[in-house]
Amino acid sequence: INIVHVPPFSGIGAEETRYDRPYRELLIGQGKPGDILRNLLLDIHRNRPDHWEKLVSRIEETFGYHILPPQYEGLPFIVCEYLPGIPNKQNQKKLPKLDISTAGSGFLQVLMLFGFFYARSASILMFDEPDAHLHVILQKQVYDRLRQVARDSDSQLLIAKHSEVLIDSTSPEKIL
């Protein structure tokens, strides 16, 4: 059984190099999942292309942003960018590429949560306050998407939280 504890999102740096898996685990254990977000996205893109497409789709559905493939070859740091909209023929060249570090903390929290699901499928994922930094309107939508992503990735979801929105959205027999 793979068990992954994901602490609340704690911020993201402007630059992130490639880290090996044991060091990434150490950073997560120290409560710094934001320090490995780009590594997580790069792994999904390189090793699980079908999951990458699902991740991109979930982010588009939830936030209306388009995540671009991470770049690392020949660069000192992993570059992860997004478009602040979904490209189509009319706006494809008008949308600026933005580094993920410029996005809001709620968006980054959800990107990290989805990233762990798609990077570590068939796991038990323990999330502490997964709706941290989210507007109350987005909390139920994100919770519903997390449950769907858990089903898609053959994972189980354990959540520690205080949000009335999530508690009201969960059947009583599933609350401890």
Side-chain angles (χ1 to χ4, degrees):
I1 298 174
N2 295 317
I3 299 176
V4 179
H5 171 253
V6 182
F9 190 78
S10 58
I12 186 171
E15 299 171 337
E16 181 180 323
T17 191
R18 185 86 168 129
Y19 302 130
D20 60 12
R21 179 97 180 237
Y23 186 66
R24 285 186 266 166
E25 301 295 333
L26 175 69
L27 290 172
I28 294 167
Q30 291 176 342
K32 300 176 183 178
D35 289 356
I36 62 125
L37 180 56
R38 291 178 181 92
N39 277 270
L40 196 62
L41 296 175
L42 184 63
D43 283 350
I44 298 166
H45 183 260
R46 284 184 175 175
N47 303 324
R48 297 172 170 242
D50 56 325
H51 288 204
W52 175 256
E53 294 305 319
K54 289 178 184 178
L55 173 67
V56 169
S57 177
R58 293 288 182 200
I59 292 297
E60 287 179 354
E61 292 168 2
T62 307
F63 292 96
Y65 294 166
H66 180 75
I67 304 294
L68 298 170
Q71 304 295 316
Y72 184 59
E73 303 311 317
L75 301 170
F77 303 103
I78 301 168
V79 175
C80 290
E81 297 173 316
Y82 71 99
L83 302 176
I86 301 171
N88 58 41
K89 291 186 194 288
Q90 289 81 23
N91 70 4
Q92 192 162 13
K93 294 185 180 183
K94 295 178 184 175
L95 294 172
K97 292 181 183 179
L98 302 172
D99 188 81
I100 61 170
S101 65
T102 66
S105 57
F107 168 78
L108 292 169
Q109 172 82 0
V110 173
L111 181 60
M112 180 189 67
L113 296 174
F114 288 172
F116 272 102
F117 272 117
Y118 289 121
R120 312 251 177 114
S121 56
S123 297
I124 298 172
L125 295 155
M126 300 183 334
F127 292 140
D128 185 13
E129 303 288 339
D131 60 343
H133 312 291
L134 289 179
H135 190 281
V136 71
I137 295 171
L138 271 178
Q139 288 180 7
K140 176 156 179 13
Q141 180 183 4
V142 168
Y143 178 63
D144 291 342
R145 292 243 161 76
L146 285 173
R147 291 186 343 194
Q148 180 61 47
V149 172
R151 282 190 293 271
D152 291 349
S153 64
D154 296 321
S155 296
Q156 284 188 305
L157 175 62
L158 297 173
I159 297 175
K161 96 148 306 50
H162 311 302
S163 168
E164 291 178 26
V165 172
L166 296 189
I167 291 171
D168 290 344
S169 300
T170 305
S171 53
E173 68 273 4
K174 294 188 178 193
I175 298 175
L176 302 176

